[in-house]
Amino acid sequence: MPVELHPTLNRRLFLSQAGAAVGGLALGTVLQAGVETAAPAELEAGWLALISDTHIDADLAKTNLGQNMAENLRAVVQDVLSQAQRPAGTFINGDLALKDGQTPDYEQLLNLLGPLRQAGLPIHLGLGNHDHRDHFLAVLKDPLQLQRAEASKYLSEVTLQMGTAQAPALLRVIVLDSLNKVNITPGLLGPEQLLWLQDHLDAPAHATVPTMVLVHHDPSNQTNALIDSDALLRVLGPRRQVKALFFGHTHVWSTKQQNDGLWLVNLPAVAYPFSNDQPLGWVQCRPRGNGVELELRAIGGNLTQNRQRVELAWR
Ligand SMILES: [Zn+2]
């Protein structure tokens, strides 16, 4: 089925509402998107909280690999809120739930995100292989103002006013959906979503705004990674307005730049590391000139890289 954008979607302005405003897209249905306006103080800040792999279980006391996932997410939420200024957007890049996305897992996730919601911060969620799309929507749709997905994928998109009042800059963030089968490790975007992405990026209104794409699975040729990695990179590579691809899944913190200038950023997990050398935490993303600066905010695991800053100069 071809994917059509709702005609009112283009750069429609809307105000962030009390509670979390979440941009959601259902392929083949409608896209909630637009330029989120922020209070002047927040315009000065213009930073994003990038979070991945929270792996929340209904039982908040549950531990895995020696980590209490709920405690780790609480620490991340507290660290986000302790910054001098509030984020313009908070993104959680999939594997929200521990194993197979049970409804009570999402209820507890919602509870743990409570302080962010009470602060009125927009929260944007993506799905990973340990999520269940219908359970996710059943719990989070109304509280986080999600659009109902009628088709097989759930995406979100937002265009944010970043930079300072003197030097404002737009930044678009698109969150893709690589959940293929619940609790089956490899991910898949599928031709329909890739076609949508290609058409969407080629639309005149979207051809120049610097864009960051988030997807849960690593775009590699590893066995358990994104199956259609090459197809995704073929869409993103030539479209120069796409500056960076962020992913999670591997529970590893790393940044690298491809030969074509596209940045590949592996976000650390919140929940637990698969190897002792990895940090747990989140990444603060701030606009800096023609690019962004990332800062690792470690709350556990290997803390030696905590506060590491990496400049991503846009191609
Ligand atoms: Zn994970």
Side-chain angles (χ1 to χ4, degrees), residues 49-89:
L50 304 179
I51 300 170
S52 196
D53 293 85
T54 53
H55 290 280
I56 295 304
D57 186 78
D59 175 8
L60 295 186
K62 188 134 185 167
T63 60
N64 194 26
L65 300 176
Q67 297 288 329
N68 179 294
M69 293 76 78
E71 277 307 311
N72 289 353
L73 181 54
R74 280 195 195 100
V76 165
V77 166
Q78 199 172 37
D79 195 36
V80 168
L81 288 172
S82 73
Q83 304 301 307
Q85 287 159 318
R86 297 222 166 123

Side-chain angles (χ1 to χ4, degrees), residues 1 12 24 37 54 124 131 139 173 210 239 255 273 280 315:
M1 179 177 67
R12 181 166 57 87
T37 59
T54 53
H124 307 268
D131 290 308
V139 174
V173 184
R239 291 171 172 82
T255 59
L280 301 175
R315 59 178 179 171

Side-chain angles (χ1 to χ4, degrees), residues 235-253:
V235 171
L236 301 184
R239 291 171 172 82
R240 306 290 291 185
Q241 75 272 37
V242 180
K243 308 302 184 184
L245 176 63
F246 292 79
F247 50 95
H249 191 54
T250 61
H251 299 207
V252 164
W253 159 243

